[in-house]
Amino acid sequence: MASKVLHAIYRDDDLLLQAVKQIREARYHIGEIYCPFPVHGLDKAMGLAPTRLAITSFMYGLVGLCVAVAMMNFIMIEDWPQDIGGKPSFSFIQNMPAFVPIMFELTVFFAAHLMVITFYMRSRLWPFKKAENPDVRTTDDVFLMEVDAANHNIDDLTDFLYKTGASEIKLIE
């Protein structure tokens, strides 16, 4: 059996948020929602798990800090120690106040760049990827909700979606 999906179009973000709550209470499965802008509270209304991207950002920052410390220790202390401005290069601890800006910058650099790469990989975005937007109007002024209709009566589900405030409903097979 082919999967059936109903595309319900909503014109207002508050109406969409109320519809999501009603649809979840009725135990229908929402596959995806396409919005022209972020809707505050939509992720909680859909029951999505919180993101773990902040944890990965922290870990990437720690990697950047470790790379900065190892790089400066090797370059400025072990490999080629120099007396710059009267500051001796006997140990990393003695010179650490001068290294703080570099440690900060590499922490931010690693966290930012690796987060962008992680976000694109997690979202399955890459160059030359074909857009997956089912309706071009969702980039401008309407909200589209995909509701799984495989195991439900299409007419009942369509009536229910109209009652939640949908302005258009289209069956996709």
Side-chain angles (χ1 to χ4, degrees):
M1 171 169 35
S3 65
K4 295 180 182 180
V5 175
L6 284 177
H7 283 181
I9 301 282
Y10 292 87
R11 303 258 179 220
D12 184 40
D13 57 336
D14 293 328
L15 189 61
L16 172 76
L17 200 55
Q18 283 300 107
V20 167
K21 292 175 183 174
Q22 292 172 359
I23 291 167
R24 289 215 23 167
E25 285 175 8
R27 304 276 189 218
Y28 292 116
H29 180 262
I30 300 171
E32 187 67 56
I33 297 180
Y34 296 90
C35 301
F37 55 84
V39 177
H40 181 69
L42 186 60
D43 54 343
K44 289 181 183 175
M46 288 181 65
L48 299 177
T51 181
R52 295 184 303 268
L53 285 177
I55 297 168
T56 59
S57 178
F58 179 73
M59 287 191 279
Y60 293 153
L62 286 179
V63 169
L65 179 66
C66 292
V67 167
V69 168
M71 179 186 75
M72 288 182 301
N73 185 49
F74 177 74
I75 292 171
M76 299 299 291
I77 305 301
E78 295 176 15
D79 186 43
W80 194 18
Q82 297 180 31
D83 188 0
I84 301 172
K87 297 177 186 171
S89 297
F90 297 134
S91 73
F92 181 81
I93 298 298
Q94 287 178 329
N95 290 343
M96 194 167 67
F99 295 157
V100 167
I102 299 168
M103 291 188 295
F104 172 77
E105 291 297 330
L106 277 178
T107 300
V108 172
F109 179 85
F110 270 67
H113 286 79
L114 291 175
M115 278 305 300
V116 168
I117 293 168
T118 301
F119 174 75
Y120 284 145
M121 289 174 59
R122 182 75 175 100
S123 301
R124 293 180 180 92
L125 295 173
W126 49 82
F128 311 112
K129 182 182 181 203
K130 186 177 181 295
E132 296 177 3
N133 195 352
D135 192 340
V136 73
R137 294 177 295 169
T138 59
T139 62
D140 187 25
D141 62 348
V142 299
F143 304 86
L144 185 140
M145 181 188 315
E146 288 183 351
V147 181
D148 184 25
N151 300 325
H152 303 287
N153 185 350
I154 302 298
D155 295 330
D156 292 342
L157 182 55
T158 302
D159 291 340
F160 179 75
L161 290 174
Y162 275 125
K163 288 178 186 174
T164 63
S167 60
E168 297 176 35
I169 296 176
K170 188 176 5 174
L171 177 64
I172 307 296
E173 294 191 50

